[in-house]
Amino acid sequence: MNSRKATAALALVTALALGASACNGNSKNSSSSKPGSTGGSSSSATGKDAALNSIVNPSTKKGGTVTMEESDVPDSLDPGNTYYGWVQNFSRLYSRTLLTFKPAAGHDGLTVVPDLATGLGKASPDAKTWTYTLRSGVKFQDGTPVTSKDVKYAIERSNFAPEALSNGPTYFKAYLAGGDKYKGPYADKNPNGIASIATPDDHTIVFHLAKPFADFDYLATFSQTAPVEQSKDTGASYVNHIQSTGPYMFQSYQDGQGATLVRNPQWVASTDPIRKALPDKITIKFKVAATTVDDDLLADNITVDAAGTGVQPQTQPKLITQKQYADQSDDPYAGATSYMAINPNVAPFNNIHCREAVEWGVNKASVQQALGGAVHGDVASTLLPPSVNGYSKFDLFPSKGNAGDVSKAKAALAACGKPNGFSANITARTDRPTEVAAATAIQQALKPIGINLSIKTYPSGKYFSNFAGVPSYVHSHDLGLMLMAWGADWPTGYGFLDQIVDGSAIKPSGGNNLMELNDPTINKALSDAIANTDAAARTKAWGDIDKMVIKTATVVPLVYRKNLLYRPKSATNVTVTQAYLGMYDYTLIGSSK
């Protein structure tokens, strides 16, 4: 690379390499592979943790049905209206994006590769203009050729129409020139759409940014870049008739119940270098009790738990102590942190000393046990997990044995004018028993210092769209403490922090900045860092910003998460992907049934 045009792309590769080095606590590189291949080791590796760096039970045989179950409902299976990591992973079966993460074992799975596009983005010297060229021959399931205008429209509807689609991130809105003024395709009737996304021909799409963004290729991996035919779009109800561009399409979809995917006859393998599309059918059921999902996995009645967050505490002992189950288990780091958001707009947490009382009072060791013990994660002191590029080790609220510090908690209560304590609410997701158990552990830890918590539970499928992610609901229901788990949108500090600590991420509904943190200094630090083309300086900045956030006492890091996963014997081509929070890669997985 001999020009400044390569700067942003080089920074991307550097960040990937640095982020990958800490994954799974193993710096050993997986075997190399050609771009577009599955990569990694595909030998018949077996035993515990075999899927961390290998493809277990490899197969090239076509046929069979992959069966999935999920304990609640997704936020949406619409690629433009989702923020759940498992849906981002799952949606690659029926939707193709400009770029994607390579379906591969080990560190190869963090590599960004072309999907709809023919290559990575071509960046201008200042990283403010990014150009992609689309492949020829890609069609929607109705036979209509995919064009650059379909990709542009998909981004417009997903980022600029919160009245209809509120679940996904808004990175494009934040960084596209004029993004603060464009009202979206439903409200703005200009047929040309937003001017800062140019489509000079059917195979070229150009993004003009208001400010430099060195990580832009990562945005091109988001499901929001999956093309949508404007004539077929019906807003929030588009989920009922999604038009596929991937190897599978929806045979049926029932809201709240599940879906069946079958082969898409318009998908052509020669236009898709990354998907093998071996199964004939994929089924998924929603609202299956979490323990039932585990039972079905261990009995080999299903192929995979769609949520990808690991088995429940009731099931865990079997995977730890019984060899026949242990040999079919994997315990990867999830690239995610479980934490408790403290909302400073809910009294008495508008006083920093009241927030600090909670920080000092939480017994993180008991929370770790409630979440399943060490096998489900390490006690956390930072927001950034160790596997994300930019992590810096520090602890601003240390205590012996991670058991909290009662004396400092009581001193903080006195400083906030509540020496006898106060009452507050804490939220957790109903269908996640370990999260409810964590809320109970926090409740028990804070009670002796005079903080009395009431636990409020909500379904995970609506947790952000209707409850914890809706500021008006949070304020009116005094939801001062909210449990949360967050993984990086991509494996750098910005990809982890932006949507949960930047003020611009606060939304009327579907938001993830549950702290409603809107600190001008932190906002500016994030913006300045992502514009910096010096990769080393960016890496340092993420750790510095993490510390700035913790100093506000609006978040209590709890556990750096691990997922204790189980793979039944009928599952083929099984490997963990760190790009999607340490779950199995759904574009690879097959079934011998």
Side-chain angles (χ1 to χ4, degrees):
M1 298 182 179
N2 57 8
S3 75
R4 289 187 63 197
K5 287 186 178 181
T7 301
L10 179 60
L12 169 66
V13 173
T14 302
L16 279 169
L18 289 171
S21 66
C23 291
N24 299 323
N26 187 344
S27 61
K28 183 179 179 181
N29 291 325
S30 58
S31 59
S32 61
S33 60
K34 295 179 181 180
S37 70
T38 55
S41 170
S42 60
S43 63
S44 54
T46 59
K48 179 174 171 54
D49 289 336
L52 299 188
N53 292 295
S54 300
I55 295 177
V56 176
N57 198 10
S59 174
T60 58
K61 183 180 179 180
K62 285 195 173 185
T65 298
V66 168
T67 53
M68 299 182 172
E69 291 179 343
E70 154 66 5
S71 63
D72 195 57
V73 296
D75 50 359
S76 175
L77 293 184
D78 179 346
N81 194 29
T82 182
Y83 214 153
Y84 273 23
W86 77 261
V87 182
Q88 293 277 330
N89 187 4
F90 180 74
S91 69
R92 296 187 298 159
L93 295 166
Y94 54 87
S95 61
R96 297 182 61 182
T97 49
L98 286 174
L99 307 177
T100 192
F101 288 97
K102 187 177 184 179
H107 301 153
D108 256 5
L110 285 169
T111 305
V112 173
V113 295
D115 189 357
L116 275 181
T118 59
L120 299 183
K122 296 179 180 178
S124 62
D126 60 2
K128 289 176 65 176
T129 302
W130 291 77
T131 302
Y132 298 86
T133 301
L134 272 61
R135 299 180 191 275
S136 298
V138 181
K139 297 179 180 180
F140 290 99
Q141 68 185 60
D142 64 1
T144 303
V146 170
T147 73
S148 55
K149 291 180 176 60
D150 299 316
V151 177
K152 174 179 178 175
Y153 179 74
I155 294 168
E156 290 172 340
R157 71 186 287 272
S158 64
N159 274 250
F160 297 94
E163 71 279 9
L165 308 172
S166 63
N167 292 322
T170 53
Y171 290 112
F172 288 100
K173 179 178 181 179
Y175 278 89
L176 283 167
D180 57 336
K181 297 181 176 61
Y182 179 58
K183 301 302 181 184
Y186 306 139
D188 188 328
K189 300 306 179 182
N190 184 339
N192 296 320
I194 189 168
S196 52
I197 303 180
T199 53
D201 57 59
D202 284 351
H203 291 92
T204 306
I205 186 165
V206 185
F207 298 92
H208 299 279
L209 310 184
K211 46 193 173 182
F213 193 83
D215 277 0
F216 195 83
D217 267 343
Y218 283 113
L219 297 193
T221 70
F222 269 66
S223 62
Q224 294 178 325
T225 69
V228 173
E229 295 174 89
Q230 186 169 4
S231 63
K232 300 289 178 66
D233 181 28
T234 55
S237 64
Y238 178 69
V239 70
N240 296 309
H241 51 86
I242 295 168
Q243 295 297 295
S244 169
T245 52
Y248 299 96
M249 65 182 189
F250 286 87
Q251 181 185 66
S252 64
Y253 169 79
Q254 292 178 291
D255 186 34
Q257 296 183 49
T260 298
L261 280 67
V262 295
R263 293 190 182 278
N264 174 10
Q266 295 295 336
W267 177 77
V268 179
S270 62
T271 71
D272 192 340
I274 63 170
R275 294 171 180 82
K276 303 304 180 186
L278 297 178
D280 286 334
K281 183 184 291 186
I282 298 155
T283 67
I284 183 168
K285 293 181 180 178
F286 304 143
K287 297 193 78 65
V288 179
T291 52
T292 301
V293 175
D294 290 352
D295 291 342
D296 288 343
L297 273 176
L298 270 60
D300 207 346
N301 291 329
I302 62 172
T303 314
V304 69
D305 174 6
T309 53
V311 301
Q312 302 305 308
Q314 300 95 315
T315 309
Q316 177 178 304
K318 291 184 179 180
L319 273 63
I320 296 174
T321 63
Q322 299 184 35
K323 181 174 171 54
Q324 70 267 36
Y325 298 122
D327 283 350
Q328 292 169 232
S329 69
D330 302 289
D331 194 22
Y333 282 100
T337 302
S338 289
Y339 62 91
M340 181 169 62
I342 306 178
N343 193 306
N345 295 316
V346 176
F349 301 116
N350 51 344
N351 185 311
I352 189 172
H353 299 295
C354 288
R355 302 197 298 270
E356 288 174 340
V358 172
E359 297 273 3
W360 287 115
V362 172
N363 183 327
K364 295 183 181 181
S366 69
V367 173
Q368 180 192 41
Q369 289 305 308
L371 290 172
V375 72
H376 276 288
D378 304 327
V379 169
S381 61
T382 63
L383 258 182
L384 289 179
S387 58
V388 169
N389 178 30
Y391 164 79
S392 177
K393 185 178 181 179
F394 63 86
D395 191 351
L396 300 185
F397 298 94
S399 64
K400 186 176 181 180
N402 296 306
D405 191 317
V406 172
S407 62
K408 289 185 178 179
K410 288 185 175 181
L413 282 175
C416 82
K418 302 281 186 180
N420 297 319
F422 54 83
S423 297
N425 295 319
I426 182 171
T427 71
R429 282 166 276 198
T430 310
D431 58 297
R432 300 191 179 184
T434 56
E435 192 166 274
V436 176
T440 303
I442 293 169
Q443 180 188 54
Q444 292 172 348
L446 296 183
K447 188 173 183 178
I449 64 174
I451 300 178
N452 297 301
L453 299 183
S454 296
I455 300 173
K456 308 295 182 181
T457 59
Y458 304 98
S460 63
K462 303 296 182 183
Y463 192 63
F464 301 102
S465 60
N466 288 27
F467 307 109
V470 182
S472 60
Y473 186 92
V474 168
H475 303 164
S476 63
H477 289 77
D478 294 321
L479 304 183
L481 305 175
M482 291 167 280
L483 289 186
M484 172 74 161
W486 187 254
D489 286 346
W490 58 87
T492 72
Y494 189 89
F496 191 98
L497 293 169
D498 180 67
Q499 290 293 298
I500 58 173
V501 304
D502 193 317
S504 65
I506 300 171
K507 299 192 292 185
S509 67
N512 296 284
N513 182 349
L514 302 191
M515 297 86 75
E516 294 180 51
L517 190 59
N518 192 12
D519 185 305
T521 304
I522 293 172
N523 296 344
K524 184 176 186 302
L526 280 164
S527 181
D528 289 348
I530 196 60
N532 193 333
T533 55
D534 184 327
R538 282 205 312 280
T539 297
K540 180 181 182 301
W542 308 138
D544 294 341
I545 294 168
D546 192 0
K547 187 173 288 187
M548 292 165 63
V549 172
I550 301 300
K551 284 182 177 178
T552 67
T554 58
V555 59
V556 182
L558 298 171
V559 169
Y560 303 127
R561 293 182 54 177
K562 298 174 77 175
N563 298 331
L564 183 58
L565 306 174
Y566 183 80
R567 41 183 155 81
K569 290 183 178 180
S570 65
T572 62
N573 298 316
V574 184
T575 194
V576 168
T577 170
Q578 283 294 334
Y580 294 95
L581 310 180
M583 65 187 72
Y584 293 130
D585 192 318
Y586 298 155
T587 60
L588 288 177
I589 203 164
S591 174
S592 60
K593 291 186 175 182

